[in-house]
Amino acid sequence: MRTLLSDLRFGFRRLRKSASSSVLAALSLALGIGAATAIFSVVNAVLFEPFPYKDFDRIVDLRIEPLKKGEPRWSHSIREYLDIREQNRVFEDVFAMGFENLRLTGGAEPEFVGGKLFSSNAFTFLGVKPLLGRTFLPGDYGSGGVPEPVVVLSYLLWQRRFAGDPQVIGQTVRLEEKKHTVIGVMPPRFTLYTPPNQTSIWLPLALDPLHERPVVIHGRLKPGITRERASAELQAIYAPLAEEDPSRYPAEGFRVHLRPFTDWVWDWIRNTVYILMAAIALLLLIACANVANLLLARATARTQEMAVRMSVGASRVDLLRQLLTESVLLSLVGGVLGILLAYWGTNVLVALLPANSLPSETAIRVDGRVLLFSFALSLLTGILFGFAPAVHASKLTLSETLKDAGRGPVGGSHGGRTRNALVISAMVFSMILLIGAGLMIRTSISLYQEKLGFQPENVLTMVIPLPAARYSQFEQRTAFYQNVLERVEAIPGVRAATLANSFPPRGGGETALEIGGRPQTEERKAAFHLVSSGYFRTMGIPLLRGRGISEQDTVHSEHVAVINEVLAARFFSDGEDPVGKRIRLAELEREYLPWSMTPAESDPWCRIVGVAGNAKNDGLGEEPRPAVFVPFTLLARSYQGLAVRTVSTPMRFLKAVRSQVLAVDKDQPVAWVRTLEQRVASETAEARFTTFLFGVFAVVGLVLAGTGIYGVMAYGVSQRTHEIGIRVALGAQNGDVMRWVLLKGLKLVLVGVAVGLLGSVLLSRLVASQLYGVTSTDPLTFFGVAALLTVVALMACYIPARRAAKVDPMVALRHE
C-alpha cells in the first residue's frame, strides 16, 4: 500500500508538471468515456432496469407462431387464459390484459383514454402499489361475469384531469356514458404498454369464457424453469383447444413461443444502440491512440529519468507499474470529466430519442451501475493506452540510453514505429467512423428527397372513433361522418377535407382482390382504403385517368373503386386501360351484413372509375403497395379519420375542427391529432437520431485524428531540430524542408486511408440494415470521406512543416 501511495503521489506530480498536455489528454478521454457512459445509460435502462415490476426478468408473454410463414398471434381468448391459469405447472402466476379505447366525458371536453382491462391478480403480479387508494379486489369482479364500475387512474390522467387532487378517491368519472368510481391512482412509472404522454385508466376484466374479447397473457416463470420447457407444457394445453376450434390456429401447425417481457422494448432500439456503441468504441479507440502517442512521446523524453531509476535499483516491473499508474490516473481524471459530460449527454439523449421509442416506465439516468461502468471503462482505457508506452520505457537499457544521450535530443529510433502505428490506427478508426456517418447522412438525404406521391404541407389529421352503443346502425355512422365533413369544409381557411380509414405514408388494411373475367391464377392483394369524395384533393395525390370518388358514390349506387398506378401496372397488361373493369374485394364481402342490406348493396364487386398516382403507403423506405380506394359509405366503419387541408398552419384550425365535431355530438372526442408532416417526420425519426449522434461522434473523431497526427508531426519536428538545421545549413530551402515534413506525414495519411477503406468495407455491413437509397459500399461516400480525412490530416501536418521550415540553423546547431 505504501508503494501504491508513493506511485500515486509521484503520478500526480508528473501530471501537474505537464499540465497542458495532461489536460488535453484528459479532455480527449472525457469525450470518449462520456459518450460511452451516456449510451450505456440507455442500455442500462432498457436491459437491466426497464420496468419497476416484480421479478420482471422472469416475466414472459405468450405468442402463437405458425410453423411455416405468417405473423405470430399475440392475442388470446379468455378461454385460453383460463385453461393456462388452471392447468400450467411452469408459472408462479399468470395474468390477462385487454385493451379498449374509452371516451372519458363529463369535463370541459371529452377525450379518449387508453383503457386497460386487468384480471384480478394483475396488480399483485406486477408488484406495484397504488400511489393513492387501492387496486382491484376479488369483489370488484362482481358476479355473473359483470365487473363493478370501478377504475384506477394513471398518474398522468390524475394530474391532467383532476389537477392532482388528493381527494379524487371516491369521485366518479363517465366512461362510455357510464359512471365509474375512482378507487386508486397509480405511481408515475406505472403505465404498461402506454406510449409516453398518453393517459391510461384501468378497469376489471370480465373473465367470461364465451366472451370474444382478445387479451394478452403474461406469466412469471418459476425459478429454474426454462422458456423451452414452459413452451412444451403450454403446447400440450393448446392442443385440445386447436382441435376444438381449428379456425383460430394456423392450419400447417403452430408452436407456443414465450418472449421475455423486456424484448418488446429492446427490439425497438437494438439496431440503433448497436450502431451507436460501435461508433463510440471507435471514438474511444481514437482517443486512446492519441493519448498513447502523447505518453509515448513523454516516455521517450524521460529516458534519462528511467535510466537513473534503473541505475539505483529499480526493476522493469517497478518502471512498468509506475508508468501504468500515471496512465490510469490520467484515465480516471478523464473518467470523472466524462461522468460530468455523461450527466449532460444523457439529458440530451432523452430529448433526442424518437417519440414512443421507449416505454414510459423506462427511466434513463446515471445511476450506480452506470457509474460503475464508467469507472471500469476508465481503468480499462488507462491500461489500454498506457501499456505500450510503459512497456517501451521499461525495456530501455543503460547503454542504449547513454548512446542516445550522446546524440542529443534526436534520440534513437525508440518508439518511432509505435507512434506511427498509433497515428495510423487513429486514422483508420476515424475513417470507419466517418464513412458510417456519411452512409447515415446519405440515407437521411435519400429519405428526405424520397418522392412521397402526396403533398403533406398544411394538412391536419385526426381519428374519430364512434362508440358502438350510440352508433350501432350503418345509417347513424354515415350521417355522423357526413355531417362533420360538411361542417369542417365550411370553416373559413379550409381548402379541402376528407374522411379516410388511414393516412399516408402508412396505413390501409389489406384485401384480396379478383379481376372480373380473369382466372385467379395468382394471389392478388392490395391496401384497402375507405375514403370520401375529397380524398385525392386533400392528400394532393394526382388522378392519372378517369375520376375520383364522388358524393354520389354510395352503398345504394353502383359500387366503384379507384386504384393506384402500382396496381394497374402489376395486375393489368401493358396498354390495357383498367378504367371500366370490375374487381371483387374480399374485404367488402367479409364485412357486409346481409341482414341490413339488399343484395345490390352488399355486392363485393366494384367498377374501376379512376387510376391515381402512387403515394407512399408502406413507409418511406419501401415502395408503394398496390392500393384500392372505395367510398367510405360502402362500410361506414365506426373508426374513420379526418384530414383537413388548410391555407396556413394546420394546428391553428384544430380548435375550430374540434368544435364542429362537438356540434354534431357533444360527447364525441377526437384522438391522435397530428399534422401530415409530423406523420412523415416520424418515419425518419430513428434515422435522424442515429445520423445526428453518428455525425457528432464522427466530427469529434475527425478532430481527434487531426490532433493526433499534428502531435506526432510536431513532436517529430522538435526531435529533429538538429537534423533540420544541418539540412538548411547545407543549402536546403524552406520549400524543401516543408515538402520533406509533409511527405513524412503524407505517408502516414495514405497508409491510414488505405487500411481505413478496407476496414470500412468490412464493417459497413453493421449499418447496412439502417441504410436506404445507398449501398453499404457507396463509392461517393468512401472516396469523399477519404479526401476529407486526407485534407484534414495534411492541414494538421502543415503547421509543423511550416515551423520546421523556419528553423534557424545557427540556433539549432548552437543548441546542440
Side-chain angles (χ1 to χ4, degrees), residues 407-443:
R407 293 206 300 262
V410 174
S413 61
H414 295 304
R417 292 180 180 176
T418 305
R419 286 195 297 274
N420 291 342
L422 288 171
V423 169
I424 291 172
S425 299
M427 292 199 64
V428 169
F429 299 144
S430 181
M431 185 83 176
I432 297 172
L433 194 55
L434 283 166
I435 285 178
L439 292 173
M440 295 304 300
I441 291 171
R442 290 288 305 278
T443 292

Side-chain angles (χ1 to χ4, degrees), residues 799-813:
I799 298 176
R802 188 177 180 184
R803 186 181 304 158
K806 292 184 177 180
V807 169
D808 187 337
M810 297 303 296
V811 174
L813 295 175

